[in-house]
């Protein structure tokens, strides 16, 4: 059931690197969760179930704890730990993505139209901005770094989404929640009153914004924000199930994964379908190195062999 499924416009690698470099130059305005700053401003809507969502069974032992587990009613919606090698970095596929969307309160009609998506990602429409569009595109690339969608640092490809890690254009291995990552810096764009919300309202997509706020995104963003604040520079999450403890990047923890899924789904459902279907434990030596690094980054070339 979980096959490949991805489509949509993508900027060139060179363009993405330019966007990342220019965005790095901006000040980091607060430490916030990956793609979840909007949750701070919608706390009054945060309940264990949001309008329109259809949560699955409660009390699922995923090995994550609060706040990293997110709202209990949505915990089992997120990826489970891989059990066979073929599940590593495997994308969800469109059918599974639609099932998840329904469970968190979204449907295809809530997403941008093809024309709206093209305008947004090309820096067009009313109030469009190419630099901001490039950052959004980089975020989508990082969060969908699954099989068939490698990221490149120079000529070196990497596919690491299941680990909740990625390699940036400078060849550094890090969590997508790292302060250096576009997936962290994009929060200034999705914050209430920021570029994305303003663009949606100005370009006939207010219904998309409303649908997002009425979905599980709202409550999960609050959990994600809390998780982000206590995870230091490394932005890794400990999973403990039975007698086994392991580490995975913040982007694979249930609340952040669902927040990111919802955001990609409203952009283009096929993007959400390319997100990882399962999470994988980071090799212990790599996790230790990332946690020991003052920046939460290590040279990928020093640890690439652990992912072969």
């Amino acid at each position: 059931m979980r096959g490949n499924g991805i489509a949509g416009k993508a900027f060139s690698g060179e363009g993405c690197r330019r966007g990342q470099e220019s965005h790095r130059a901006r000040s980091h305005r607060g430490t916030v969760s990956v793609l979840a700053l909007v949750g701070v401003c919608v706390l009054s809507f945060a309940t264990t179930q949001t309008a329109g969502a259809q949560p699955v069974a409660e009390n699922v032992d995923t090995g994550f704890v609060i706040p990293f587990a997110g709202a209990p009613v949505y915990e089992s919606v997120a990826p489970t730990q891989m059990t066979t090698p073929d599940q590593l970095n495997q994308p969800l596929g469109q059918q599974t993505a639609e099932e998840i969307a329904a469970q968190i309160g979204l449907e295809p009609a809530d997403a941008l139209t093809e024309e709206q998506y093209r305008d947004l990602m090309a820096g067009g429409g009313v109030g469009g901005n190419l630099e901001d569009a490039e950052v959004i595109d980089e975020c989508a690339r990082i969060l969908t770094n699954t099989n068939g969608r490698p990221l490149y640092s120079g000529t070196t490809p990497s596919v690491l989404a299941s680990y909740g890690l990625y390699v940036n254009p400078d060849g550094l291995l890090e969590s997508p929640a790292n302060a250096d990552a576009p997936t962290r810096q994009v929060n200034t764009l999705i914050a209430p009153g920021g570029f994305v919300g303003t663009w949606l309202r100005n370009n006939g997509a207010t219904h998309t914004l409303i649908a997002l706020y009425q979905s599980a995104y709202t409550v999960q963003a609050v959990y994600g924000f809390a998780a982000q604040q206590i995870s230091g520079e490394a932005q890794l999450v400990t999973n403990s199930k039975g007698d086994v403890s392991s580490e995975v990047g913040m982007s694979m923890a249930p609340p952040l994964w669902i927040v990111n899924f919802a955001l990609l789904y409203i952009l283009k459902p096929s993007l959400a379908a390319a997100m990882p279907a399962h999470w994988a434990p980071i090799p212990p030596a790599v996790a230790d190195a990332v946690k020991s690094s003052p920046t939460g980054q290590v040279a990928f070339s020093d640890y690439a062999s652990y992912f072969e």
Side-chain angles (χ1 to χ4, degrees):
M1 179 170 66
R2 297 191 173 189
N4 290 311
I6 182 64
K9 186 248 186 213
F11 288 101
S12 68
E14 180 180 358
C16 288
R17 286 191 291 274
R18 286 200 303 271
Q20 181 170 344
E21 289 165 1
S22 62
H23 208 64
R24 285 178 188 164
R26 301 178 181 180
S27 61
H28 292 167
R29 284 167 276 186
T31 54
V32 291
S33 58
V34 177
L35 301 181
L37 180 60
V38 68
V40 180
C41 298
V42 290
L43 286 171
S44 61
F45 296 101
T47 60
T48 56
Q49 182 174 350
T50 46
Q54 302 173 30
V56 293
E58 300 183 31
N59 301 321
V60 176
D61 181 13
T62 63
F64 294 105
V65 298
I66 299 294
F68 305 105
V73 292
Y74 297 115
E75 191 171 358
S76 64
V77 174
T80 56
Q81 183 175 354
M82 59 174 276
T83 56
T84 59
D86 64 299
Q87 294 175 334
L88 180 64
N89 299 315
Q90 180 72 15
L92 289 168
Q94 200 63 56
Q95 180 178 338
T96 300
E98 296 301 342
E99 293 169 358
I100 291 172
Q103 290 174 329
I104 67 171
L106 293 172
E107 60 184 16
D110 297 326
L112 298 180
T113 66
E114 184 62 31
E115 181 179 1
Q116 288 169 332
Y117 174 75
R118 287 198 305 267
D119 285 346
L120 174 64
M121 301 306 289
V126 178
N129 183 292
L130 182 57
E131 182 181 332
D132 290 340
E134 288 178 338
V135 173
I136 295 170
D137 183 70
E138 284 183 275
C139 294
R141 287 175 177 271
I142 292 168
L143 296 172
T144 62
N145 181 212
T146 47
N147 294 335
R149 293 179 58 83
L151 292 173
Y152 285 87
S153 174
T155 59
T156 302
S158 57
V159 179
L160 301 170
S162 281
Y163 297 103
L165 297 172
Y166 86 104
V167 181
N168 72 19
D170 295 324
L172 297 176
L173 180 70
E174 60 186 329
S175 165
N178 189 283
D180 171 76
T183 31
R184 176 77 169 264
Q185 298 170 353
V186 76
N187 287 313
T188 59
L189 304 184
I190 65 168
F195 168 72
V196 173
T198 300
W199 191 96
L200 294 177
R201 288 190 294 271
N202 289 342
N203 289 273
T206 301
H207 72 287
T208 294
L209 199 59
I210 293 172
L212 180 66
Y213 286 170
Q214 290 181 335
S215 75
Y217 171 87
T218 299
V219 64
Q220 293 293 65
V222 177
Y223 282 97
F225 178 82
Q228 182 87 57
Q229 305 315 301
I230 60 177
S231 297
E233 296 296 330
Q235 293 294 304
L236 303 185
V237 178
T238 299
N239 181 279
S240 297
K241 197 165 186 179
D243 297 326
V244 179
S245 291
S246 55
E247 303 284 338
V248 68
M250 179 71 70
S251 59
M252 293 306 294
L256 272 298
W257 188 92
I258 291 172
V259 161
N260 293 334
F261 176 92
L263 286 163
L264 290 186
Y265 188 87
I266 65 164
L267 283 179
K268 193 176 184 69
S270 57
L271 286 175
M275 290 181 68
H278 299 277
W279 69 267
I282 299 171
V286 180
D288 290 344
V290 172
K291 290 189 292 184
S292 298
S293 168
T295 62
Q297 303 166 312
V298 295
F300 180 59
S301 59
D302 293 341
Y303 296 94
S305 62
Y306 287 92
F307 300 101
E308 294 176 353

